[in-house]
Amino acid sequence: MPSLDARLRALGGRIWLDATIPVIYYPRGTLRGLARQYFRYGSGRARTSHKHGERLRLRQMLPPAITLAIGVGLIGGIVLPVLLVIPLLYALALLAASSVFALKDRSLTALMAAPALATMHIAWGAGFLKRRALQIGKRRADDRYRD
């Protein structure tokens, strides 16, 4: 059975967030814990979009695209060093964003947003890409079995 939000959207409904609903969030104590959480989020999103045949929105496509781009930059940079500019630009963008946070909040601890954001983006992207690869592999195996 499709999830409630998928059924509501299929009927033309919309999902709204309500800021008055209290939500408790327990921040992860380590980047490893944060990575595990976001890897699972990305994997779950791939599963849900595949199950319901949903197209991803731009904001949902960015983490897998960033993860692929950084991978291409780091691995391809061994052969073609100019590709290292990809992860460098990403790191600079995160540093710039966390610097803005630090200036706005007048707190140097806001600079820790850079490693947290990188962890969330790359882990979400990796979880999504891994699940998608498994789905494609299963579909191909199923197609070979039917032939």
Side-chain angles (χ1 to χ4, degrees), residues 5-88:
D5 63 326
R7 287 180 286 165
L8 288 171
R9 286 188 313 236
L11 293 170
R14 297 185 81 182
I15 307 296
W16 292 91
L17 299 178
D18 184 346
T20 64
I21 298 172
V23 176
I24 298 172
Y25 175 76
Y26 299 99
R28 300 307 183 254
T30 63
L31 286 178
R32 182 179 177 155
L34 186 65
R36 196 174 314 117
Q37 174 188 7
Y38 273 79
F39 185 89
R40 290 176 182 151
Y41 283 171
S43 177
R45 186 66 187 109
R47 189 176 330 113
T48 303
S49 66
H50 179 73
K51 179 179 178 180
H52 300 298
E54 298 171 340
R55 295 183 62 135
L56 294 179
R57 296 170 189 238
L58 177 61
R59 68 180 173 83
Q60 295 166 329
M61 288 189 283
L62 286 176
I66 288 169
T67 302
L68 286 172
I70 289 172
V72 166
L74 292 174
I75 295 168
I78 296 169
V79 177
L80 195 59
V82 71
L83 292 176
L84 292 172
V85 75
I86 297 169
L88 177 64

Coordinates of all heavy atoms in Angstrom, one line a residue, residues 5-88:
D5 N 1.3 10.0 2.3 CA 1.5 11.2 1.5 C 1.4 11.0 0.0 O 0.9 11.8 -0.7 CB 2.9 11.9 1.9 CG 4.1 11.0 1.6 OD1 3.9 9.8 1.7 OD2 5.1 11.5 1.2
A6 N 1.8 9.8 -0.4 CA 1.7 9.5 -1.9 C 0.3 9.3 -2.3 O -0.1 9.8 -3.3 CB 2.5 8.2 -2.2
R7 N -0.5 8.7 -1.4 CA -2.0 8.6 -1.7 C -2.7 10.0 -1.8 O -3.5 10.2 -2.6 CB -2.7 7.7 -0.7 CG -2.3 6.2 -0.9 CD -2.9 5.3 0.1 NE -2.3 5.5 1.4 CZ -2.7 5.1 2.5 NH1 -3.9 4.6 2.6 NH2 -2.0 5.4 3.6
L8 N -2.3 10.8 -0.8 CA -2.9 12.2 -0.8 C -2.6 13.0 -2.0 O -3.4 13.6 -2.6 CB -2.5 12.9 0.5 CG -3.1 12.5 1.8 CD1 -2.4 13.2 3.0 CD2 -4.6 12.7 1.8
R9 N -1.3 12.9 -2.4 CA -0.9 13.6 -3.6 C -1.5 13.1 -4.9 O -1.9 13.8 -5.8 CB 0.7 13.6 -3.7 CG 1.3 14.5 -2.7 CD 2.8 14.6 -3.0 NE 3.3 13.3 -3.2 CZ 4.3 12.7 -2.5 NH1 4.9 13.4 -1.7 NH2 4.6 11.5 -2.7
A10 N -1.7 11.7 -4.9 CA -2.3 11.1 -6.1 C -3.8 11.6 -6.2 O -4.3 11.6 -7.3 CB -2.2 9.6 -6.0
L11 N -4.4 11.9 -5.1 CA -5.8 12.4 -5.2 C -5.8 13.9 -5.4 O -6.9 14.5 -5.3 CB -6.5 12.0 -3.9 CG -6.7 10.6 -3.7 CD1 -7.2 10.3 -2.2 CD2 -7.7 10.0 -4.7
G12 N -4.7 14.5 -5.6 CA -4.6 16.0 -5.9 C -4.4 16.8 -4.6 O -4.5 18.0 -4.7
G13 N -4.2 16.1 -3.5 CA -4.0 16.9 -2.2 C -2.6 17.4 -2.1 O -1.7 17.1 -3.0
R14 N -2.4 18.2 -1.2 CA -1.1 18.8 -0.9 C -0.6 18.6 0.5 O -1.5 18.5 1.4 CB -1.1 20.4 -1.2 CG -1.4 20.7 -2.6 CD -1.4 22.1 -2.9 NE 0.0 22.5 -3.1 CZ 0.5 23.7 -3.3 NH1 -0.4 24.7 -3.4 NH2 1.7 23.9 -3.5
I15 N 0.6 18.5 0.7 CA 1.2 18.3 2.1 C 1.7 19.6 2.6 O 2.5 20.2 1.9 CB 2.3 17.2 2.0 CG1 1.9 15.9 1.4 CG2 2.9 17.0 3.4 CD1 0.8 15.2 2.1
W16 N 1.3 20.0 3.7 CA 1.7 21.3 4.3 C 2.5 21.0 5.6 O 2.1 20.1 6.4 CB 0.6 22.2 4.6 CG -0.1 22.7 3.4 CD1 -1.1 22.1 2.7 CD2 0.2 23.8 2.7 NE1 -1.5 22.8 1.6 CE2 -0.7 23.9 1.6 CE3 1.2 24.8 2.8 CZ2 -0.6 24.9 0.6 CZ3 1.2 25.9 1.9 CH2 0.3 25.9 0.8
L17 N 3.5 21.8 5.9 CA 4.2 21.7 7.2 C 3.6 22.7 8.1 O 3.2 23.8 7.7 CB 5.7 21.9 7.0 CG 6.4 21.0 6.1 CD1 7.8 21.4 5.9 CD2 6.3 19.5 6.6
D18 N 3.5 22.4 9.4 CA 2.9 23.2 10.3 C 3.9 23.5 11.4 O 4.3 22.6 12.2 CB 1.6 22.6 10.9 CG 0.9 23.5 11.9 OD1 1.4 24.5 12.4 OD2 -0.3 23.1 12.3
A19 N 4.4 24.8 11.5 CA 5.4 25.1 12.4 C 4.9 25.1 13.9 O 5.8 25.1 14.8 CB 5.9 26.5 12.1
T20 N 3.7 25.0 14.1 CA 3.2 24.9 15.5 C 3.2 23.5 16.1 O 3.0 23.4 17.3 CB 1.7 25.5 15.6 OG1 0.8 24.6 14.8 CG2 1.6 26.9 15.0
I21 N 3.4 22.5 15.2 CA 3.5 21.2 15.7 C 4.9 21.0 16.3 O 5.9 21.2 15.7 CB 3.3 20.1 14.6 CG1 1.9 20.3 14.0 CG2 3.5 18.7 15.1 CD1 1.6 19.5 12.8
P22 N 5.0 20.6 17.6 CA 6.3 20.4 18.2 C 7.0 19.2 17.7 O 6.3 18.1 17.5 CB 6.0 20.3 19.7 CG 4.5 19.9 19.8 CD 3.9 20.4 18.6
V23 N 8.3 19.3 17.4 CA 9.1 18.2 17.0 C 10.3 18.2 17.8 O 10.9 19.2 18.1 CB 9.5 18.4 15.5 CG1 10.4 17.3 15.0 CG2 8.2 18.4 14.6
I24 N 10.7 17.0 18.3 CA 11.9 16.8 19.1 C 13.0 16.2 18.1 O 12.7 15.2 17.5 CB 11.7 16.0 20.3 CG1 10.7 16.6 21.2 CG2 13.0 15.7 21.0 CD1 10.2 15.7 22.4
Y25 N 14.1 16.8 18.1 CA 15.2 16.3 17.3 C 16.4 16.2 18.2 O 16.8 17.1 19.0 CB 15.6 17.3 16.1 CG 16.8 16.8 15.4 CD1 16.7 15.8 14.5 CD2 18.0 17.4 15.6 CE1 17.8 15.3 13.8 CE2 19.1 17.0 14.9 CZ 19.0 15.9 14.0 OH 20.1 15.5 13.3
Y26 N 17.0 15.0 18.1 CA 18.2 14.7 18.9 C 19.4 14.8 18.0 O 19.6 13.9 17.2 CB 18.1 13.4 19.6 CG 17.0 13.3 20.6 CD1 15.8 12.7 20.2 CD2 17.1 13.9 21.8 CE1 14.7 12.6 21.1 CE2 16.0 13.8 22.7 CZ 14.8 13.2 22.3 OH 13.7 13.2 23.2
P27 N 20.3 15.8 18.1 CA 21.4 15.9 17.2 C 22.4 14.7 17.4 O 22.5 14.3 18.5 CB 22.1 17.2 17.5 CG 21.3 17.8 18.6 CD 20.2 16.9 19.0
R28 N 22.9 14.3 16.3 CA 23.9 13.2 16.4 C 25.2 13.8 17.0 O 25.6 14.9 16.8 CB 24.2 12.7 15.0 CG 23.0 12.1 14.2 CD 22.3 11.1 15.1 NE 21.2 10.5 14.5 CZ 19.9 10.7 14.7 NH1 19.6 11.6 15.6 NH2 19.0 10.1 14.1
G29 N 25.8 12.9 17.8 CA 27.0 13.4 18.6 C 28.3 13.3 17.8 O 29.3 14.0 18.2
T30 N 28.3 12.6 16.6 CA 29.5 12.5 15.8 C 29.1 12.7 14.3 O 28.0 12.5 13.9 CB 30.2 11.1 16.0 OG1 29.3 10.1 15.5 CG2 30.5 10.9 17.4
L31 N 30.1 13.0 13.5 CA 29.9 13.1 12.1 C 29.6 11.7 11.5 O 28.8 11.5 10.6 CB 31.1 13.6 11.4 CG 31.3 15.1 11.5 CD1 32.6 15.6 10.8 CD2 30.1 15.9 11.0
R32 N 30.1 10.6 12.1 CA 29.8 9.3 11.7 C 28.3 9.0 11.9 O 27.7 8.4 11.1 CB 30.7 8.3 12.5 CG 30.5 6.9 12.1 CD 31.4 5.9 12.8 NE 31.1 4.6 12.4 CZ 32.0 3.6 12.5 NH1 33.2 3.8 13.0 NH2 31.6 2.4 12.2
G33 N 27.8 9.3 13.1 CA 26.4 9.1 13.4 C 25.5 9.9 12.4 O 24.5 9.4 12.0
L34 N 25.9 11.2 12.1 CA 25.2 12.0 11.2 C 25.2 11.4 9.8 O 24.2 11.3 9.1 CB 25.8 13.4 11.2 CG 25.1 14.4 10.3 CD1 23.7 14.7 10.9 CD2 25.9 15.7 10.3
A35 N 26.4 10.8 9.4 CA 26.5 10.2 8.1 C 25.6 9.0 8.0 O 24.9 8.8 7.0 CB 28.0 9.8 7.8
R36 N 25.6 8.2 9.0 CA 24.7 7.0 9.0 C 23.2 7.4 8.9 O 22.5 6.8 8.1 CB 24.9 6.2 10.4 CG 24.4 4.8 10.3 CD 24.7 4.0 11.6 NE 26.1 4.2 12.0 CZ 26.5 4.7 13.2 NH1 25.6 5.1 14.1 NH2 27.8 4.8 13.5
Q37 N 22.8 8.4 9.6 CA 21.5 8.9 9.6 C 21.1 9.4 8.1 O 20.1 9.0 7.6 CB 21.3 10.1 10.5 CG 19.9 10.8 10.4 CD 19.9 12.0 11.3 OE1 20.8 12.5 11.8 NE2 18.7 12.6 11.4
Y38 N 22.0 10.2 7.5 CA 21.7 10.7 6.2 C 21.8 9.7 5.1 O 21.1 9.8 4.1 CB 22.5 12.0 6.0 CG 21.7 13.2 6.5 CD1 21.8 13.5 7.9 CD2 21.0 14.0 5.7 CE1 21.0 14.5 8.4 CE2 20.2 15.0 6.2 CZ 20.3 15.3 7.5 OH 19.5 16.4 8.0
F39 N 22.7 8.7 5.3 CA 22.8 7.6 4.3 C 21.5 6.9 4.3 O 21.0 6.6 3.2 CB 23.9 6.7 4.7 CG 24.2 5.6 3.7 CD1 25.1 5.8 2.7 CD2 23.5 4.4 3.8 CE1 25.3 4.8 1.8 CE2 23.7 3.4 2.9 CZ 24.6 3.5 1.9
R40 N 20.9 6.7 5.4 CA 19.6 6.0 5.5 C 18.5 6.9 4.9 O 17.6 6.4 4.2 CB 19.3 5.6 6.9 CG 20.1 4.5 7.5 CD 19.9 4.2 8.9 NE 20.7 3.2 9.4 CZ 21.1 3.1 10.7 NH1 20.7 4.0 11.6 NH2 21.9 2.2 11.1
Y41 N 18.5 8.2 5.1 CA 17.6 9.1 4.5 C 17.6 9.0 3.0 O 16.6 8.9 2.3 CB 17.8 10.5 4.9 CG 17.4 10.9 6.3 CD1 17.8 12.2 6.8 CD2 16.6 10.1 7.1 CE1 17.4 12.6 8.1 CE2 16.2 10.5 8.4 CZ 16.6 11.7 8.9 OH 16.3 12.1 10.1
G42 N 18.8 9.0 2.4 CA 19.0 9.0 1.0 C 18.5 7.7 0.4 O 17.8 7.6 -0.6
S43 N 18.9 6.6 1.1 CA 18.4 5.3 0.7 C 16.9 5.2 0.7 O 16.3 4.6 -0.2 CB 19.1 4.2 1.6 OG 18.6 2.9 1.2
G44 N 16.3 5.7 1.8 CA 14.9 5.6 1.9 C 14.2 6.5 0.8 O 13.1 6.1 0.3
R45 N 14.8 7.6 0.5 CA 14.2 8.4 -0.6 C 14.2 7.7 -1.9 O 13.3 7.8 -2.7 CB 14.9 9.8 -0.7 CG 14.2 10.8 -1.6 CD 12.8 11.1 -1.1 NE 12.1 11.9 -2.0 CZ 11.0 11.4 -2.7 NH1 10.6 10.2 -2.5 NH2 10.4 12.2 -3.5
A46 N 15.3 7.0 -2.2 CA 15.4 6.3 -3.5 C 14.3 5.2 -3.5 O 13.7 5.0 -4.5 CB 16.8 5.7 -3.6
R47 N 14.2 4.5 -2.4 CA 13.2 3.4 -2.3 C 11.7 4.0 -2.5 O 11.0 3.5 -3.3 CB 13.2 2.8 -0.9 CG 12.4 1.5 -0.8 CD 12.6 0.8 0.5 NE 13.8 0.9 1.1 CZ 14.1 1.6 2.3 NH1 13.1 2.1 3.0 NH2 15.3 1.7 2.8
T48 N 11.4 5.1 -1.8 CA 10.1 5.7 -1.9 C 9.8 6.2 -3.3 O 8.8 6.0 -3.9 CB 10.0 6.9 -0.9 OG1 10.2 6.4 0.4 CG2 8.6 7.5 -0.9
S49 N 10.8 6.9 -3.9 CA 10.5 7.5 -5.3 C 10.4 6.3 -6.3 O 9.6 6.4 -7.2 CB 11.7 8.4 -5.7 OG 12.9 7.8 -5.8
H50 N 11.2 5.3 -6.1 CA 11.1 4.1 -7.0 C 9.7 3.4 -6.8 O 9.0 3.1 -7.8 CB 12.2 3.1 -6.7 CG 12.2 1.9 -7.6 ND1 12.5 1.9 -8.9 CD2 11.9 0.6 -7.3 CE1 12.4 0.7 -9.4 NE2 12.0 -0.1 -8.4
K51 N 9.3 3.2 -5.6 CA 8.1 2.5 -5.3 C 6.9 3.2 -5.9 O 5.9 2.6 -6.4 CB 7.9 2.4 -3.8 CG 6.6 1.7 -3.3 CD 6.6 1.6 -1.8 CE 5.3 0.9 -1.4 NZ 5.3 0.8 0.1
H52 N 6.8 4.6 -5.8 CA 5.7 5.3 -6.2 C 5.9 6.0 -7.6 O 5.0 6.7 -8.0 CB 5.4 6.4 -5.2 CG 5.1 5.9 -3.8 ND1 4.0 5.0 -3.6 CD2 5.7 6.0 -2.6 CE1 4.0 4.7 -2.3 NE2 5.0 5.3 -1.7
G53 N 7.0 5.7 -8.2 CA 7.2 6.3 -9.5 C 7.3 7.8 -9.6 O 6.9 8.4 -10.5
E54 N 7.8 8.3 -8.5 CA 7.9 9.8 -8.3 C 9.2 10.3 -8.9 O 10.2 9.7 -8.8 CB 7.9 10.2 -6.9 CG 6.6 9.8 -6.2 CD 6.7 10.0 -4.7 OE1 7.8 10.1 -4.1 OE2 5.6 10.1 -4.0
R55 N 9.1 11.5 -9.5 CA 10.3 12.2 -10.0 C 10.8 13.0 -8.9 O 10.1 13.6 -8.1 CB 9.9 13.1 -11.2 CG 9.4 12.3 -12.4 CD 9.1 13.3 -13.5 NE 10.4 14.0 -13.9 CZ 10.8 14.2 -15.1 NH1 10.1 13.7 -16.1 NH2 11.9 14.8 -15.3
L56 N 12.1 13.1 -8.8 CA 12.8 13.9 -7.8 C 12.7 15.3 -8.1 O 12.7 15.7 -9.2 CB 14.2 13.5 -7.6 CG 14.5 12.1 -7.1 CD1 16.0 11.8 -7.1 CD2 13.9 11.8 -5.8
R57 N 12.6 16.1 -7.1 CA 12.7 17.6 -7.2 C 14.2 18.0 -7.3 O 15.1 17.2 -6.9 CB 12.1 18.3 -6.0 CG 10.6 18.0 -6.0 CD 10.0 18.5 -4.7 NE 8.6 18.0 -4.6 CZ 7.6 18.8 -4.5 NH1 7.7 20.1 -4.4 NH2 6.4 18.3 -4.4
L58 N 14.5 19.2 -7.8 CA 15.9 19.6 -7.9 C 16.6 19.5 -6.6 O 17.7 19.0 -6.6 CB 15.9 21.1 -8.4 CG 17.3 21.7 -8.5 CD1 18.1 20.9 -9.5 CD2 17.2 23.1 -8.9
R59 N 16.0 19.9 -5.5 CA 16.7 19.9 -4.2 C 17.1 18.4 -3.8 O 18.0 18.2 -3.0 CB 16.0 20.6 -3.1 CG 14.7 19.9 -2.7 CD 13.9 20.7 -1.6 NE 12.6 20.1 -1.4 CZ 12.4 19.1 -0.6 NH1 13.4 18.5 0.1 NH2 11.2 18.7 -0.4
Q60 N 16.3 17.5 -4.3 CA 16.6 16.1 -4.0 C 17.6 15.5 -4.9 O 18.2 14.5 -4.6 CB 15.3 15.3 -4.0 CG 14.3 15.7 -3.0 CD 12.9 15.2 -3.2 OE1 12.5 15.0 -4.4 NE2 12.1 14.9 -2.2
M61 N 17.8 16.1 -6.1 CA 18.8 15.6 -7.0 C 20.2 16.1 -6.7 O 21.2 15.5 -7.1 CB 18.4 16.0 -8.5 CG 17.2 15.2 -9.0 SD 16.9 15.5 -10.7 CE 16.1 17.1 -10.7
L62 N 20.2 17.2 -6.0 CA 21.5 17.8 -5.7 C 22.5 16.9 -4.9 O 23.7 16.8 -5.3 CB 21.4 19.2 -5.0 CG 20.9 20.3 -5.9 CD1 20.6 21.6 -5.2 CD2 21.8 20.5 -7.1
P63 N 22.1 16.3 -3.8 CA 23.1 15.5 -3.1 C 23.7 14.3 -3.9 O 24.9 14.1 -3.9 CB 22.3 14.9 -1.9 CG 21.3 16.0 -1.6 CD 20.9 16.5 -3.0
P64 N 22.9 13.6 -4.7 CA 23.5 12.5 -5.5 C 24.4 13.2 -6.6 O 25.5 12.6 -6.9 CB 22.3 11.8 -6.2 CG 21.1 12.1 -5.3 CD 21.4 13.4 -4.7
A65 N 24.0 14.3 -7.2 CA 24.8 15.0 -8.2 C 26.1 15.4 -7.5 O 27.2 15.3 -8.1 CB 24.1 16.1 -8.8
I66 N 26.1 16.0 -6.4 CA 27.3 16.5 -5.7 C 28.2 15.3 -5.4 O 29.4 15.4 -5.6 CB 26.9 17.2 -4.4 CG1 26.3 18.6 -4.7 CG2 28.1 17.4 -3.5 CD1 25.6 19.3 -3.6
T67 N 27.6 14.2 -4.9 CA 28.4 13.0 -4.5 C 29.1 12.5 -5.8 O 30.3 12.2 -5.7 CB 27.5 11.9 -3.9 OG1 26.8 12.5 -2.7 CG2 28.2 10.7 -3.5
L68 N 28.4 12.4 -6.9 CA 29.0 11.9 -8.1 C 30.1 12.9 -8.6 O 31.2 12.4 -9.0 CB 27.9 11.7 -9.2 CG 27.0 10.5 -9.1 CD1 25.9 10.6 -10.1 CD2 27.8 9.2 -9.2
A69 N 29.8 14.2 -8.5 CA 30.8 15.1 -9.0 C 32.0 15.1 -8.2 O 33.2 15.2 -8.7 CB 30.2 16.5 -9.0
I70 N 31.9 15.0 -6.9 CA 33.1 14.9 -6.0 C 33.9 13.6 -6.3 O 35.1 13.6 -6.3 CB 32.7 15.1 -4.5 CG1 32.2 16.5 -4.3 CG2 33.8 14.7 -3.6 CD1 31.6 16.7 -2.9
G71 N 33.1 12.5 -6.4 CA 33.8 11.3 -6.8 C 34.6 11.4 -8.1 O 35.7 10.9 -8.1
V72 N 33.9 11.9 -9.1 CA 34.6 12.1 -10.4 C 35.8 13.0 -10.2 O 36.9 12.7 -10.7 CB 33.7 12.7 -11.4 CG1 34.4 13.2 -12.7 CG2 32.6 11.7 -11.8
G73 N 35.7 14.1 -9.4 CA 36.8 15.0 -9.2 C 38.0 14.4 -8.5 O 39.1 14.5 -8.9
L74 N 37.7 13.6 -7.5 CA 38.8 13.0 -6.7 C 39.4 11.8 -7.4 O 40.6 11.7 -7.4 CB 38.2 12.5 -5.3 CG 37.8 13.6 -4.3 CD1 37.1 13.0 -3.1 CD2 39.0 14.4 -4.0
I75 N 38.6 11.0 -8.0 CA 39.2 9.8 -8.7 C 39.8 10.2 -10.1 O 40.9 9.9 -10.4 CB 38.1 8.7 -8.9 CG1 37.7 8.1 -7.6 CG2 38.6 7.6 -9.8 CD1 36.5 7.3 -7.6
G76 N 39.0 11.0 -10.8 CA 39.5 11.5 -12.1 C 40.7 12.5 -11.9 O 41.5 12.6 -12.8
G77 N 40.8 13.1 -10.8 CA 41.9 14.0 -10.5 C 43.2 13.4 -10.5 O 44.3 14.0 -10.7
I78 N 43.2 12.0 -10.3 CA 44.5 11.3 -10.3 C 45.1 11.3 -11.7 O 46.3 11.5 -11.9 CB 44.3 9.8 -9.9 CG1 43.8 9.8 -8.4 CG2 45.5 9.0 -10.1 CD1 43.3 8.5 -7.9
V79 N 44.2 11.2 -12.7 CA 44.7 11.2 -14.1 C 44.7 12.6 -14.7 O 45.6 13.0 -15.4 CB 43.8 10.3 -15.0 CG1 44.2 10.3 -16.4 CG2 43.8 8.9 -14.4
L80 N 43.7 13.4 -14.4 CA 43.5 14.7 -14.9 C 43.3 15.7 -13.7 O 42.2 16.0 -13.3 CB 42.2 14.7 -15.8 CG 42.0 15.9 -16.7 CD1 43.2 16.0 -17.7 CD2 40.7 15.7 -17.5
P81 N 44.4 16.2 -13.2 CA 44.4 17.0 -12.0 C 43.4 18.2 -12.0 O 43.0 18.7 -11.0 CB 45.9 17.5 -11.9 CG 46.7 16.5 -12.6 CD 45.8 16.0 -13.7
V82 N 43.1 18.7 -13.2 CA 42.1 19.8 -13.3 C 40.8 19.5 -12.7 O 40.1 20.3 -12.2 CB 42.0 20.4 -14.7 CG1 41.2 19.4 -15.6 CG2 41.4 21.7 -14.7
L83 N 40.5 18.2 -12.6 CA 39.2 17.8 -12.1 C 39.1 18.0 -10.6 O 38.0 18.0 -10.0 CB 38.9 16.3 -12.4 CG 38.6 16.0 -13.9 CD1 38.5 14.5 -14.1 CD2 37.4 16.7 -14.4
L84 N 40.3 18.1 -9.9 CA 40.3 18.4 -8.5 C 39.6 19.7 -8.1 O 39.3 20.0 -7.0 CB 41.7 18.3 -8.0 CG 42.4 17.0 -8.0 CD1 43.8 17.1 -7.7 CD2 41.6 16.0 -7.1
V85 N 39.4 20.6 -9.1 CA 38.7 21.8 -8.9 C 37.3 21.6 -8.4 O 36.7 22.4 -7.7 CB 38.8 22.8 -10.1 CG1 37.8 22.3 -11.2 CG2 38.5 24.2 -9.8
I86 N 36.7 20.5 -8.8 CA 35.3 20.2 -8.4 C 35.1 20.1 -6.9 O 34.4 20.8 -6.3 CB 34.8 18.9 -9.2 CG1 34.7 19.2 -10.7 CG2 33.4 18.6 -8.7 CD1 34.5 17.9 -11.5
P87 N 35.9 19.2 -6.3 CA 35.7 19.1 -4.8 C 36.3 20.4 -4.1 O 35.7 20.7 -3.1 CB 36.5 17.9 -4.4 CG 37.3 17.5 -5.6 CD 36.7 18.1 -6.8
L88 N 37.2 21.0 -4.7 CA 37.7 22.3 -4.1 C 36.7 23.4 -4.1 O 36.5 24.0 -3.1 CB 39.0 22.7 -4.9 CG 39.6 24.1 -4.4 CD1 40.1 23.9 -3.0 CD2 40.7 24.5 -5.4

